[in-house]
């Protein structure tokens, strides 16, 4: 294990699979105590077991962050049990593709709830603790990283509402960065392209078939590629603030 994040505490949402899981493992390997937050307790327990097997510290927090009370309680539990909060990675997200016409409203509501409201709930609860950590951390800095998407830069047919949420994440991240930049809290956004995760499985069967055809033959990014980007951002010297990282698959045009 590395020592670059020793004596720090990181919270990762959406940690039960994909980018969140890979990020939790990466930060633990850097020496951070990691709180893993998601709804699927069995997946979190398995992840925590991997971290502990490598000598790390992991705290499992089962929570639905779309519920403000649960999001707040999750953050408060992390601080109470691990003593502080130096890093927040807002990774939880869901995407469901399809045209706007005749789209099920429940899909839109789910994306808005997870991608925007969930991120806001956790950020709101975590900010005071992150600012406090920035004051007394040996690193002299704290970090908040939001996971967005290339869909937050390029809108395409079939991604209207998903793009709306990710454009929103980008705008929120930049505004918050300017608000807290002088208080030693760095705020960054990572924009992954096509990653080999459960993302495609969230869409309806007919839409999923179209997505599979679109991605056929492309060598997609792996969750570890995005976790590397997150770790890079967080482990920079405090004088360096990496505000935005765009990571596309090599063959991706959008």
């Amino acid at each position: 294990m590395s020592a670059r994040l020793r004596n720090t505490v990181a919270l990762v949402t959406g940690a039960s699979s994909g980018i969140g899981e890979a990020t939790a493992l990466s930060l633990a390997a850097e020496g951070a105590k990691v709180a893993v937050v998601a709804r699927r307790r069995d997946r979190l327990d398995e992840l925590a077991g991997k971290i502990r097997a490598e000598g790390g510290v992991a705290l499992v927090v089962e929570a639905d962050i779309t519920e403000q009370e649960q999001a707040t309680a999750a953050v408060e539990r992390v601080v109470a049990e691990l003593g502080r909060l130096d890093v927040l990675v807002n990774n939880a997200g869901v995407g469901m593709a399809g045209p706007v016409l005749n789209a099920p409203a429940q899909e839109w509501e789910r994306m808005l709830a997870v991608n925007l409201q969930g991120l806001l709930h956790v950020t709101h609860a975590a900010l005071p603790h992150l600012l406090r950590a920035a004051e007394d951390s040996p690193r002299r800095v704290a970090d908040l990283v939001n996971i967005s998407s290339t869909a937050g830069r390029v809108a395409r047919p079939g991604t209207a509402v998903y793009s709306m949420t990710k454009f929103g994440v980008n705008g929120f991240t930049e505004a918050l960065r300017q608000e807290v930049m002088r208080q030693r809290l760095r705020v960054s956004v990572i924009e992954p392209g096509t990653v080999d995760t459960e993302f495609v499985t969230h869409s309806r069967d007919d839409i999923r078939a179209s997505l599979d055809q679109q991605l056929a033959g492309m060598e997609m990014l792996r969750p570890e590629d995005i976790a590397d980007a997150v770790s890079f951002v967080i482990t920079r010297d405090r004088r360096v603030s990496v505000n935005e990282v765009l990571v596309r698959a090599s063959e991706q045009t959008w």
Side-chain angles (χ1 to χ4, degrees):
M1 296 180 67
S2 169
R4 291 189 292 183
L5 294 180
R6 185 170 296 169
N7 299 321
T8 67
V9 173
L11 187 162
V12 181
T13 67
S16 58
S17 65
I19 294 170
E21 179 182 9
T23 298
L25 290 167
S26 178
L27 297 183
E30 294 284 359
K33 299 176 183 177
V34 181
V36 292
V37 180
R39 294 179 301 160
R40 294 180 288 186
R41 178 62 186 252
D42 57 335
R43 296 279 193 95
L44 294 179
D45 286 336
E46 183 179 350
L47 171 58
K50 292 178 183 178
I51 293 172
R52 293 164 186 157
E54 296 296 324
V57 175
L59 174 66
V60 171
V61 182
E62 181 183 356
D64 180 353
I65 62 169
T66 66
E67 299 291 338
Q68 185 170 9
E69 295 80 5
Q70 292 191 42
T72 300
V75 171
E76 295 304 321
R77 182 183 166 198
V78 172
V79 175
E81 296 195 25
L82 298 181
R84 58 188 297 116
L85 181 60
D86 301 87
V87 174
L88 169 62
V89 181
N90 279 315
N91 166 74
V94 63
M96 286 167 275
V100 171
L101 182 64
N102 298 324
Q106 297 91 333
E107 292 185 353
W108 295 357
E109 291 165 2
R110 183 63 183 161
M111 285 187 279
L112 291 169
V114 178
N115 300 355
L116 292 178
Q117 291 179 323
L119 182 147
L120 292 175
H121 293 333
V122 177
T123 300
H124 184 266
L127 268 177
H129 301 293
L130 291 168
L131 291 170
R132 193 172 303 118
E135 292 178 354
D136 64 12
S137 169
R139 300 171 64 234
R140 299 172 58 224
V141 71
D143 285 280
L144 193 163
V145 179
N146 291 328
I147 305 299
S148 182
S149 168
T150 54
R153 298 170 62 94
V154 180
R156 304 174 69 240
T159 68
V161 177
Y162 181 66
S163 286
M164 182 174 74
T165 66
K166 294 304 185 178
F167 270 85
V169 168
N170 289 2
F172 174 77
T173 302
E174 174 57 18
L176 179 59
R177 182 189 72 82
Q178 295 182 40
E179 289 183 20
V180 299
M181 57 188 291
R182 298 191 183 280
Q183 296 169 271
R184 299 179 181 173
L185 174 58
R186 299 183 296 203
V187 182
S188 307
V189 64
I190 310 290
E191 297 156 306
T194 303
V195 185
D196 188 7
T197 66
E198 298 177 351
F199 180 88
V200 173
T201 66
H202 297 148
S203 295
R204 285 165 277 148
D205 291 344
D206 56 330
I207 302 297
R208 188 185 313 169
S210 175
L211 291 173
D212 288 339
Q213 184 177 14
Q214 178 183 340
L215 300 174
M218 177 187 292
E219 185 177 4
M220 292 185 283
L221 296 166
R222 299 173 183 174
E224 292 78 11
D225 298 325
I226 309 307
D228 285 346
V230 175
S231 292
F232 177 84
V233 167
I234 293 171
T235 56
R236 297 308 89 196
D237 186 275
R238 70 168 299 273
R239 72 180 181 277
V240 180
S241 180
V242 182
N243 306 144
E244 183 178 15
V245 179
L246 173 63
V247 187
R248 285 189 175 102
S250 294
E251 300 166 334
Q252 183 174 343
T253 58
W254 59 91

